[in-house]
Every structure is written in C-alpha cells, then in structure tokens.
Amino acid sequence: MKPKQLANVLIKILGLSMCAHSIVPILNGLVNALSAPPNYGSNYRSGFWFYLLTGGIPAVIGLFLIVRSWFVTEKLFKNEAE
C-alpha cells in the first residue's frame, strides 16, 4: 500500500472516530432536555445547545474528514513523489 493510500484510509478512520465520539454528548443533551421538569424553566433546555455544540462540532469535522479525505491527503503529501 502506498503512503498516500494509507494516509487516506487513516484519515477516514479518524473521521469515523470523531463522529462516533460525538454521539454521546448529543444524546446526553437530548436526554437532559427531554427529561427536564417543567417547573424548572429553560435552564435545563438551554444546556441542550451546549451539548449540541460540543458533540456537533467534532461530528462536522469528522464528516468533513470522511468526505474530503483525499483532499486532506493531497494537501499533506503535496511535495512527495509517488
């Protein structure tokens, strides 16, 4: 396997890992928002946006790495010959 091909596969695996790790914060925010008692107001529900950001940003980065792994590989190996 050539170094560029290996790097392409490893970048995709990194993207999958980031997407998998972002599932827990998103689900945690959903559970907290849906299980909040109605008399506590919006304090519990506003925490959902924090969990959405802490889980959503790595998910977006992971999806970018999966979809554009060849682009990232080309940028990393732009000066190397095959």
Side-chain angles (χ1 to χ4, degrees), residues 23-74:
I23 292 172
V24 173
I26 292 173
L27 289 178
N28 193 8
L30 276 173
V31 168
N32 284 342
L34 295 176
S35 66
N39 59 353
Y40 282 115
S42 65
N43 289 337
Y44 283 92
R45 287 178 177 78
S46 65
F48 168 72
W49 295 108
F50 172 75
Y51 287 110
L52 185 65
L53 286 176
T54 58
I57 291 172
V60 169
I61 293 171
L63 287 174
F64 173 79
L65 288 175
I66 293 169
V67 173
R68 300 292 302 230
S69 64
W70 189 252
F71 172 75
V72 174
T73 305
E74 288 296 322

